[in-house]
Amino acid sequence: MLKTILPYLIAALIGAGIGFGAEHVRARGALAIEQAAHAKDNERHTTDMLNVSRAALEGENRAIDAHNLAASAVAAADAATTKEKDAHETDNRRYRAALAAGTERVRVAVRNCTAADPGGLAGSPGAPGVGNGSTAVADLDPAVAERVFGVAGDDQHEIDKVKALQEYVCAVRPKTPGCS
C-alpha cells in the first residue's frame, strides 16, 4: 500500500515545495517593494528635517543679529549718555565753584524790592528800575545761588535719566511710539 501511495506522496511533497518556493519568491518581491517605499519615506523625512533645521538656524541667526544690533545701539546710547552726563557734571561743578567764589553771579529780575541799609535792616519798599519802565535786577547771594543751581542740577540729572531710559527703549524696541 505504501508503494501505491508513495508516488502521490512524493508528488504532493514536490508540489508543496514548489508552492512554498513560489510564495517565498513572491514575498521577497513584496518585501523589496516595501523596503524601497520605506527608504523613500526615510529620504523624504530626512529632507524635511534638514529643511526644518535650516529654517531654525536661519531664524536663530536673525535673532542673534537683531540682539547684537540692539546691544550695539544700547552701548552707543549708553556711551553718548555717559559722555553727556560727564560733561554736564563737569560744567555743573565748575559753575557751582564759580558761584561760591563769587566770580559768577545769578541775576534775577525783580518787580518790587526793598533796599537794605548798611546794618542789614530793610528800608522802605520802592519801585524797581531806573526810569522809563526799565526792569531792575538783583544779584542773588552766592550761597543761595549755589543751592538754587544745585536743585536745578538735580532736576536735570533726573531728566537725563528719563532720556537715557527712552534711548534704551528705542534701541531695544525701535517701533515703540516716540522712537524714530
Side-chain angles (χ1 to χ4, degrees):
M1 171 160 135
L2 188 57
K3 281 189 175 186
T4 56
I5 300 180
L6 189 63
Y8 295 110
L9 185 61
I10 293 176
L13 287 175
I14 291 175
I18 292 173
F20 284 128
E23 178 60 24
H24 177 71
V25 169
R26 188 202 61 75
R28 189 174 356 144
L31 179 62
I33 291 171
E34 183 65 29
Q35 285 175 336
H38 186 67
K40 193 173 185 178
D41 286 346
N42 284 345
E43 183 179 333
R44 191 172 339 121
H45 177 71
T46 301
T47 302
D48 290 345
M49 291 307 297
L50 183 61
N51 289 337
V52 167
S53 295
R54 284 184 184 146
L57 180 62
E58 289 172 7
E60 183 177 355
N61 286 338
R62 282 192 307 272
I64 289 170
D65 290 344
H67 173 76
N68 290 341
L69 183 64
S72 64
V74 166
D78 184 49
T81 301
T82 300
K83 183 179 178 183
E84 184 179 323
K85 179 184 74 91
D86 290 345
H88 177 71
E89 286 176 357
T90 300
D91 288 344
N92 194 1
R93 280 191 301 274
R94 183 181 46 78
Y95 193 64
R96 288 178 79 172
L99 285 172
T103 57
E104 289 284 340
R105 295 180 186 187
V106 175
R107 297 185 135 198
V108 293
V110 294
R111 212 177 327 183
N112 294 314
C113 61
T114 303
D117 67 13
L121 298 174
S124 62
V130 291
N132 298 330
S134 298
T135 303
V137 292
D139 289 339
L140 289 181
D141 177 67
V144 173
E146 185 181 0
R147 285 194 307 271
V148 168
F149 193 74
V151 170
D154 291 343
D155 288 347
Q156 185 61 45
H157 180 69
E158 297 303 316
I159 291 168
D160 291 344
K161 288 192 323 191
V162 171
K163 283 182 181 177
L165 177 61
Q166 183 65 35
E167 288 176 8
Y168 172 78
V169 169
C170 288
V172 174
R173 296 191 56 158
K175 293 184 181 180
T176 302
C179 298
S180 53

